[in-house]
Amino acid sequence: MTKENGGTFTRREFLKGVGVGGGALVLFGQFGIHSAAWALSGEATLKMVVVDYKKCTGCRTCETACSSRNKPAAVGGKELPGLGNPYFANIKVHNFNPDVDVPNVCAMCADTPCAKACPVEPDGKTGRRAFYRDDASHTMHNDASRCIGCGSCAKACASQRTGVIRPNPETGKPERMCTLCGGDPQCVKRCPFGALSYVEVRRDRKFYGLGPEKIAAELARNWYGTAEFGGVK
Amino acid sequence: MSGKPGYHGRILEIDLSSGKSRTVAIAPEDLDKFVGGQGLGMKLLWDRLKKPGIDALSPENPLMFIPGPFSGLPVPSSSRTCVVTKSPITAPLTSEHRHASTVTYSNMGGFFGPEIRFAGYDGLVVIGKARELSYIVIDDDKVSIRDARKFKGMRTDAFDRAFLEELGDRKYKTVYIGPAGENLIPYSSIIHTAGRAAGRGGSGCVMGSKNLKAIAVKGSGQPGVADHERFLTALEKARRALYGTTYAKSWAEQGTARAIVGNSNAGTESVRNYREGTFTEADKIGGDAARRDVWVRDFACYCCPLACKKSGVTKGKYGGVVHDGPEYETGVMLGSNLMISDMPGLLRAIYNIDDLGLDQISTGNVIGFLMEAYEKGMIDRKFLDGIDLKWGSVDATLAMIEKIAAKDGVGALAAQGVANLSRHIGQGSEKFAIHVKGLELAAHNIQGNQPRALSYVTASRGACHMSGNNIAMQNRRAMLDSTGMCFFPTFEPALEEPMLELLSAITGHEYHQAEFEKAGERIFNLEKMFNYREGFRRGDDKLPDRFFEDAFTIGAKKGAVLDRKKFEDMLTTYYRDRGWDTVTTKPGEAKLKELGLENI
Ligand code: SF4
Ligand code: SF4
Ligand code: SF4
Ligand code: SF4
């Protein structure tokens, strides 16, 4: 088994259950392998959070690490970094019965169907809609001042990709866009099992987004020979 | 709100008789003295059951789910919820109170306890009895009680999925009972995530008596901490003590199942209804075999770096998905203790027991007893409704499990537990009816392990293997089970200092070693006061004769048997060191005063 060029994972490991951005990519080869850790050197790459489903134990430490930094709890009006309800994390661990855990995080899709779905007119200067990608970090952002809270971005993400972003129940404005923690991903740092990595991937091709339910079904078929989950086929 | 840091200062009380719920403040003093989990649960039980002899299955008996001060914070292994209630199983030899029984507590991992704290409570207390089978939904401040009749009789694995589907939101964390709890089998469990259980002591039976099928909870809040900076520093230290260590990896590798072979070799395993301490076929059902043939994945509870839970799949006649196991307790009680060495068969039994919502330990113990009584000719096949309950028979074991949960035929008798069963059968079978105070012993055998015998006889909930082999251990564990932290990572010495730091930083109460143990001692003594008030005396701290008469015939501890005199001497010393009366076991005035329990 040789380590592929420029990556953390061997091809075989990848085939067994490594997905990019909570599964925006690829499982078991059958969905096509596009932008994995074995990027050819010299090609345009970006760094993102990659999940190894085989190593994930569903402990949700990543959620707590994320919300601790990106949405810290305020107690008595005072923000307390390091504390946060995992529900508000930008990474969401979906758990199923039989046991499969699928951490889901923005895949930073090259073609941003979420941003394309935003009905707000692009800004004359920046060309940005109310949902847009930051060209330096490739992370997704919401311009809350122009956002009308229609939920189209989240809908597009849910139907075409990971479904990780969701409209705030009150304002309708999207939440849970991964910030990459300014280049120091806390989820990767805190995962006790090394299931998350912050690695370079290629994004020269279209991502085939998969929601956590589809990934879970695939993993369960592979591990347990069944894909019967409650409410998930 | 109490304003006490690290806590919400309130519990949620749900009265199923009236259909109403309310929040109740907890006195800050109680939080300092009883912490949370097992301790706070005991204090609430003491306050609510003001007199002895209240029927555990009556609406008055509160069923409580209590997390601890660690719960809801990103502390490693802060996953536990303690279920506390009055036991529907235990009974003293004699008592003037008709329904006398001990306290019972059962500690469960997973995700439920943290979610209770996210919802804004330090505990849930369920009282009363619903008119029809119901379930409770808690979404922050919103509480509703809903009709669960359509789920009547549903097994836990199917219910786990159906319930989340009904709720329409996977964020809910749920606990529920199976057919056994609905049928009021005394040793019923409460199940969480299909493979985790509050198993021991009958909490599922109490839940059934309230006509409560399930509870779902989710929350958007967050408990605070007293000293933020100190908390963050200690948190990093706690993570460093465990992350990536050989210790953590060994738990991920085999969980508790490693001990199936280890304890058999050491002669401390429950084998053939506690007749032996060694199972010659242990390797067929041990951790290595499971890793090789069954397990495909390791799973962890909330924020836990150990991942001792396993899942997998087996093939053949008994094949199917394995949610958990074999663990040490489940693997031994349904394996070695019944002489079963067929791995898929063993796992089918474990799965079915969880699926029906029975306690694995008591179920394995009861079936082991019946196998022995059958072998000895004290009962015949007719008594067993035609089941050929021979040692090692998977099919017979599976048949018995179904009968127990359904209270069908011989199952109705077996459902009453090994103490009542042996009373019914008579013929000297009490000698090998392996229980203390009515609660069945667990998977650690004691002919060659007198300290563990102490744990069984002096534990507050009946024969408990977790209580501790000496006073210091008992106090420490009572305290650990009050914090919300799992006790497995705490065997790692490097965790000790950061763990105490964290607790102090969260609560603002200085928990150095001595204070930590003192709190545990206080909790243990309050449990004792409760049991004493019910009528439990020294004579109840008693082992079946087997342990003094049947020396092991095989294994490393061949020839081992307990000595009555030594055992009684050990107990006398124990009561004296505890500051209890050596004749009655009543906690002494001086001790109570020292612990701040004199006016309780
Ligand atoms: S912290 Fe790691 S192991 Fe735990 S749920 Fe997240 S990805 Fe999985
Ligand atoms: S579609 Fe979803 S996963 Fe893809 S970039 Fe947009 S928000 Fe992220
Ligand atoms: S919710 Fe806001 S950002 Fe999303 S599509 Fe609508 S307007 Fe655009
Ligand atoms: S990289 Fe940062 S923002 Fe993104 S999921 Fe991880 S912790 Fe959250």
Side-chain angles (χ1 to χ4, degrees), chain A residues 21-23 51 90-94 102-106 162-164 210-212:
Chain A
V51 185
N90 300 332
I91 185 166
K92 169 95 191 102
V93 183
H94 294 254
V102 181
N104 195 22
V105 58
C106 174
T162 67
V164 67
L210 283 177

Side-chain angles (χ1 to χ4, degrees), chain A residues 53-54 56-59 61 64 73 81 83-88 95 97 99 101 190 193 223-224 228 230-231, chain B residues 111 118 157 160-161 165 170-171 219-222 228 231 236 239 243 297 299-300 302-305 309 311 323:
Chain A
Y53 301 114
K54 267 210 104 176
C56 176
T57 65
C59 71
T61 306
T64 69
L83 301 183
N85 186 317
Y87 185 54
F88 299 112
N95 59 296
N97 168 6
D99 280 315
D101 289 282
R190 303 291 182 221
F193 300 95
W223 294 339
Y224 308 115
E228 282 298 313
Chain B
F111 304 88
F118 293 142
D157 195 2
D160 180 69
R161 305 161 202 221
E165 207 171 336
R170 301 195 74 94
K171 182 174 155 46
S220 60
Q222 170 75 46
H228 185 221
F231 172 80
E236 275 323 300
R239 283 173 171 154
Y243 276 29
R297 290 292 321 283
F299 290 93
Y302 190 72
C303 285
C304 180
K309 181 181 187 294
S311 72
H323 285 308

Side-chain angles (χ1 to χ4, degrees), chain A residues 180-195:
Chain A
L180 289 178
C181 298
D184 182 21
Q186 296 300 301
C187 53
V188 174
K189 209 168 176 176
R190 303 291 182 221
C191 171
F193 300 95

